[in-house]
Every structure is written in structure tokens, then in C-alpha cells.
Amino acid sequence: MPKVAIVYFSETGTTHNLASAVLKGCRSDGDAVATLYRISGADIVEGRFRQRQCLELIDDSDAVIFGSPTYMGGPAAQFKAFADATSDRWDAQMWSGKVASGFTVGANANGDQLATLQYFSILASQHGMLWMGLDIPGGFDPQGRNPSGSQLGLACHCLTPEPDPANLSTAEYLGARVAMLSGQLSTSP
Ligand SMILES: Cc1cc2nc3c(=O)[nH]c(=O)nc-3n(C[C@H](O)[C@H](O)[C@H](O)COP(=O)(O)O)c2cc1C
């Protein structure tokens, strides 16, 4: 039974809607247990992320999917505060062998979303996690998923909080893929 944690920040709801679609995809794998954790400003006290519950959720998961809007060419500061708080886990490589993936959104078609996904994959690698991208070739999917052609993870753009159906179905696919493959690797009963 794979356990998947979806840890994300969203200010105006776009990333939250993507996270909900990722969750739906995870749950399409009947065996998977998937949980959303939405980072909030209140989790950060005097600049430090202080929410142990979030870190313990990942401790107890087989996979984690990171999400953040792209802000100024990278993850939002709230997400980075969370990432910095994982350094205690890094010391002991507590998350080594877990599966990781990620998603991001920006307002522009090329708004440097790639840098956010690269940051997520580096964070995962620092923890010894196994990064999982998207195996949908942009422009060659009969269902039109992955319209941006991003294969490191889901990257999209939109100007309203509701991503278009192609990106929502890409998000579902990403969740289903992580649940399925982490289930194959999982040692959880
Ligand atoms: C401080 C700030 C910085 C931003 N920087 C970028 C950027 O570098 N590239 C981009 O495409 N969009 C950028 N945006 C737009 C957001 O990524 C976009 O509105 C996103 O959908 C917000 O996600 P949310 O609704 O989950 O909060 C920025 C927005 C803010 C508020």
C-alpha cells in the first residue's frame, strides 16, 4: 500500500487545484493512500518553517510530490522555508529511497517554471530520493496531455486559478504514475 504525500504552497489557488488533481490521480490507484499538505504562512515563524506534522507525514510516506507556483524564477519563499526545514532529515538521509516528483505553474508560457522543477529535483537528490518525471512526450499524446512538453515534471501556465483540462489531466496522470511506481518499490505492508 503506497503512501504518497503531496506538499505544496499556493497563494491564489492555482497550485492547489493542480494538487487536488494530483491527489485524484494518486487515489485512482486503489491501493494508494495519498495526503495533501498545503504549506501556509502561519507554518513559518520568524522565517523558519515550524510544522513538524508535515515533516512527519513525509517520514511516513513512500513518495512525496512537491508543488509551488513559480515566483521570480524559482519556488515560492514559503516552499523554500519548508525545504530548508528538511535539513535535519538530510543529515541522516532519512528520506533516501523514497520517490519524488513535482509540479509548478506560472503566469507566463515561459515564466522560468523549469527552474522550479529543477529545484525540486535537486532537493529530492539531496535527500537521496528517486526523481520521477513525466513519460508523456509533448505533442504526441493522443489525449493532449503535457501540452507544455515538460518532462522533468508538470509545468504549466495560466492566468486564472483554474488550469485547463489538459493540465489537470496531466496532473492526475502524474499522481497515478507516482502512486503506481512507488507501490512497486514500496516496502510498506
Ligand atoms: C511574487 C510573484 C512572483 C511571480 N513570479 C513568476 C515567474 O517568475 N514566472 C511566472 O510565470 N509567473 C510568476 N508569477 C505568477 C504566479 O506563478 C502565478 O500567478 C501562479 O498561478 C500563482 O499560483 P497560486 O494561484 O497557486 O498562488 C509570480 C507571482 C508572484 C505573486
Side-chain angles (χ1 to χ4, degrees), residues 120-143:
F120 291 161
S121 67
I122 290 169
L123 174 64
S125 297
Q126 288 214 343
H127 282 288
M129 296 184 191
L130 310 172
W131 182 259
M132 190 171 293
L134 268 177
D135 60 342
I136 305 173
F140 287 88
D141 181 52
Q143 297 166 57

Side-chain angles (χ1 to χ4, degrees), residues 5 7 55 58-59 61-66 82 86 89-90 93-101 120-132 185:
V7 176
L55 302 175
I58 299 174
D59 292 345
S61 296
D62 301 293
V64 58
I65 306 178
F66 301 128
F82 149 75
T86 68
R89 268 70 176 170
W90 168 83
Q93 288 290 286
M94 281 175 63
W95 294 346
S96 175
K98 297 181 189 291
V99 168
S101 191
F120 291 161
S121 67
I122 290 169
L123 174 64
S125 297
Q126 288 214 343
H127 282 288
M129 296 184 191
L130 310 172
W131 182 259
M132 190 171 293
L185 293 167

Side-chain angles (χ1 to χ4, degrees), residues 10-15 69-73 105-108 111 113:
S10 180
E11 181 67 30
T12 53
T14 323
T15 315
T70 293
Y71 273 10
M72 302 313 292
V105 59
N108 298 295
Q113 290 90 332

Side-chain angles (χ1 to χ4, degrees), residues 26-45:
C26 290
R27 288 181 174 167
S28 69
D29 180 321
D31 286 338
V33 173
T35 307
L36 290 180
Y37 187 90
R38 183 173 180 169
I39 297 164
S40 82
D43 293 341
I44 299 161
V45 181

